[in-house]
Amino acid sequence: MRIALFPGTFDPVTNGHLSVIQRGLRVFDRIVVAVAETTPKKALFSLEDRINMMRHSVQNLPNVEVIPFNGLVVDCAVRQNASTILRGMRALADFEKEFQQALMNRRINHAVETVFFMADYQWLFTSSTIVKTAVQNGASSCGLTSAYVQRCIEKAYGLPPAPAMQGEENADGQDCTLVQGNGLAQGTAIYPGTFDPITKGHLSIIRRALSLFDKVIVAVAENPGKNPLYSLEERVAFVRQAVQAQADRIDVISYDNLTVDAAQKVKACAIIRGLRAVGDFEYEFQMALMNRRLNKSVETVFFMTDYKWLYVSSSIIKACASHGASVEGLVPHVVQKSLLSLYQKGTMAAATPCLEAPAQGYLKHDTAEEGQRKGQQQ
């Protein structure tokens, strides 16, 4: 059984929180919502009130449990037999803190994974603090919280009920009911990328994804716009050789269409992505929102890259190899051997710009001996 822990203060619970819970049910069999006893700043509601509001909000979800917790989140996850900590991210401001916390949690306990869902676009501006401020100043939180939570906030501040907003619909807010699988394989995820070439960082994400999903399909994108160093066939072959020890749980395919369409074709419930740095966040954030707009039945699940792979990318690997630097331990052996053949055994016309992908023409050039030999053959 896949159990996830969703921790937070929930002061109070918003529809943004409920969205993460509902979407999490596409991936997990059970979600334990852990309401923190202690809060970083003075809470408006008591622990008991926050638990009651959350339980009221998820009452239609039989596979969601609400508990109080104190101490380290990873310890709470272990006590609840949860192999995963589920977190939501709304903006760049969330990234740094969540990145640090995810790395620390992995340092404390590698057996507990942290995964992230990007907030749906309608909740990007929604937080417990913003909701409380709005209600305190006479605004309605309709659509941002349930009507029950709205009344709890008004009561806490000693306010009369706010007038209904013009055009107000669905006064109870988020329809928190059980999410159906829509025919998708709940234990299958797709991991897309160019993989030009595959690195140990990619393999780390695949390995960690296997702790959450029964099967991972590595989807190698044709992606001619990136002018890849290796052909599609070569990249697929590298990935297959790198994951052959777990071929029973990992499939490798190629694709040339939208990622969400590829995911739908293989009946995957989730798209796996890795985040290494702030530079990744903006692009991945936009792509996750677009993918949800295209197909809401396929979730995007983010893993923070392990700290030892934070600096590793296919582009950096190629740049280092082109300068004659060793990439041993950063890529599978078959890739290292190929890069050595392409770069270090040939005569390079010029050095590849640092940290950029090798430009066309920086590949292996004919040496004088090879040129002479080809001339003789002709």
Side-chain angles (χ1 to χ4, degrees):
M1 175 176 283
R2 300 178 187 85
I3 302 175
L5 186 80
F6 183 41
T9 305
F10 306 114
D11 184 44
V13 56
T14 71
N15 285 348
H17 295 133
L18 299 180
S19 172
V20 172
I21 295 171
Q22 285 180 294
R23 291 160 61 193
L25 292 173
R26 298 184 187 277
V27 176
F28 301 99
D29 301 307
R30 181 166 166 259
I31 293 178
V32 179
V33 181
V35 183
E37 293 184 16
T38 58
T39 61
K41 52 188 175 183
K42 183 175 175 59
L44 174 62
F45 295 101
S46 68
L47 174 64
E48 183 180 3
D49 288 338
R50 287 182 280 129
I51 289 175
N52 287 338
M53 281 187 286
M54 179 60 79
R55 285 177 175 160
H56 183 278
S57 299
V58 300
Q59 59 185 325
N60 293 326
L61 301 177
N63 46 351
V64 176
E65 180 184 0
V66 183
I67 64 166
F69 90 96
N70 201 354
L72 293 175
V73 173
V74 286
D75 291 342
C76 180
V78 171
R79 290 194 297 270
Q80 296 298 318
N81 294 319
S83 60
T84 307
I85 297 168
L86 175 62
R87 300 292 291 162
M89 281 198 291
R90 292 165 310 169
L92 191 59
D94 291 342
F95 183 88
E96 184 176 3
K97 178 183 176 182
E98 295 289 354
F99 193 76
Q100 293 172 331
Q101 193 63 58
L103 292 179
M104 178 57 75
N105 285 341
R106 276 189 63 76
R107 181 179 175 84
I108 295 171
N109 190 335
H110 266 70
V112 179
E113 191 59 71
T114 301
V115 299
F116 297 86
F117 287 178
M118 294 295 188
D120 250 339
Y121 52 86
Q122 67 261 47
W123 314 121
L124 292 180
F125 64 94
T126 306
S127 71
S128 298
T129 300
I130 289 176
V131 166
K132 287 182 290 188
T133 301
V135 175
Q136 187 179 18
N137 286 277
S140 171
S141 68
C142 177
L144 304 180
T145 68
S146 67
Y148 175 78
V149 171
Q150 162 91 14
R151 290 191 293 271
C152 288
I153 301 173
E154 290 168 342
K155 183 177 178 180
Y157 284 126
L159 300 172
M165 296 174 63
Q166 188 173 3
E168 181 175 315
E169 296 179 359
N170 188 20
D172 286 332
Q174 184 81 356
D175 179 20
C176 204
T177 55
L178 186 61
V179 177
Q180 301 300 320
N182 298 324
L184 300 178
Q186 295 302 299
T188 300
I190 188 171
Y191 181 36
T194 306
F195 304 109
D196 184 45
I198 188 169
T199 72
K200 290 291 186 69
H202 294 133
L203 293 175
S204 172
I205 296 295
I206 294 171
R207 175 182 54 79
R208 292 162 61 192
L210 287 174
S211 69
L212 179 56
F213 299 95
D214 294 328
K215 189 172 187 178
V216 172
I217 298 173
V218 183
V220 183
E222 185 173 356
N223 210 349
K226 282 191 173 182
N227 190 26
L229 173 62
Y230 291 104
S231 69
L232 179 63
E233 293 74 17
E234 288 174 317
R235 287 179 278 134
V236 168
F238 285 153
V239 176
R240 283 181 175 151
Q241 289 183 62
V243 302
Q244 60 183 344
Q246 292 179 295
D248 59 325
R249 297 184 61 196
I250 302 172
D251 283 346
V252 183
I253 65 172
S254 61
Y255 76 105
D256 60 359
N257 55 347
L258 290 173
T259 299
V260 286
D261 291 341
Q264 189 75 35
K265 185 176 180 180
V266 298
K267 296 185 177 180
C269 69
I271 298 168
I272 297 296
R273 300 296 292 163
L275 290 173
R276 287 170 314 196
V278 171
D280 290 344
F281 183 88
E282 184 177 5
Y283 171 80
E284 294 291 351
F285 193 64
Q286 293 170 330
M287 189 56 66
L289 293 179
M290 178 55 75
N291 284 340
R292 275 193 61 75
R293 180 179 175 84
L294 294 171
N295 190 336
K296 286 195 173 184
S297 67
V298 180
E299 192 56 66
T300 301
V301 178
F302 291 90
F303 290 80
M304 291 294 188
T305 303
D306 248 341
Y307 53 87
K308 59 183 174 181
W309 310 120
L310 289 179
Y311 64 94
V312 178
S313 71
S314 297
S315 296
I316 290 176
I317 290 294
K318 289 180 288 191
C320 290
S322 73
H323 285 286
S326 172
V327 293
E328 184 176 2
L330 303 179
V331 294
H333 179 70
V334 64
V335 173
Q336 180 188 355
K337 184 178 178 181
S338 175
L339 290 171
L340 182 67
S341 175
L342 284 175
Y343 289 118
Q344 296 179 12
K345 288 185 179 180
T347 302
M348 293 188 298
T352 303
C354 186
L355 305 187
E356 294 184 7
Q360 190 172 7
Y362 288 177
L363 309 185
K364 181 179 177 182
H365 292 266
D366 292 342
T367 63
E369 291 180 359
E370 289 173 334
Q372 185 178 16
R373 185 168 59 253
K374 285 183 178 180
Q376 292 173 352
Q377 292 174 350
Q378 293 175 350

